[in-house]
Amino acid sequence: MKKRVLFFLIFVLIGLFAYLMFMLVSWFLMTLTHVNPSLGSAIIAGAATVISSVFIASYNSRKAKERVAFEANKEKKAAIYNEFMDMVVQLMRNTKAGKKVMKYCQIM
């Protein structure tokens, strides 16, 4: 029962937010029609600049976080890979075929 009430409340809040945003945008556009054209173009250019700079800043921040996460996992991956390679090298040293391969690699 609580989940349904919570779902309904969230649905109403999202609808209210969407309606308020629609009203705000329509008010802004109606206001722009009554403004001097040069001032209107300056407002639109300024808004586009602000929106694009916020988008670029958030994109760069997200990429930086991904890079940090990748670098943090890189050490763990390197340790696991080194363990694996040590095991493969040890296995090759303990087999006759491995000795033949190792001799062939040394010749080259």
Side-chain angles (χ1 to χ4, degrees):
M1 185 68 180
K2 278 186 174 183
K3 288 184 180 180
R4 288 185 181 197
V5 171
L6 185 62
F7 177 75
F8 180 73
L9 182 63
I10 290 172
F11 185 73
V12 168
L13 287 174
I14 289 173
L16 183 63
F17 180 74
Y19 177 73
L20 288 174
M21 289 303 294
F22 173 75
M23 292 301 289
L24 182 68
V25 168
S26 64
W27 172 80
F28 181 71
L29 291 176
M30 288 301 252
T31 305
L32 274 180
T33 59
H34 300 296
V35 175
N36 187 2
S38 61
L39 180 64
S41 63
I43 290 172
I44 292 172
T49 302
V50 168
I51 291 170
S52 64
S53 64
V54 167
F55 174 76
I56 290 171
S58 65
Y59 179 77
N60 287 338
S61 172
R62 185 178 29 185
K63 285 297 182 183
K65 286 179 184 178
E66 288 176 4
R67 196 175 316 118
V68 167
F70 179 76
E71 291 296 325
N73 290 333
K74 192 174 184 179
E75 294 175 11
K76 293 177 186 176
K77 290 178 184 177
I80 293 171
Y81 180 73
N82 286 337
E83 259 182 59
F84 171 73
M85 289 306 295
D86 290 341
M87 183 180 67
V88 169
V89 169
Q90 189 65 30
L91 182 66
M92 287 180 72
R93 286 182 182 163
N94 292 336
T95 61
K96 290 182 182 180
K99 289 181 182 178
K100 290 179 184 175
V101 170
M102 292 299 282
K103 287 180 185 177
Y104 178 73
C105 289
Q106 290 174 355
I107 293 172
M108 296 191 91

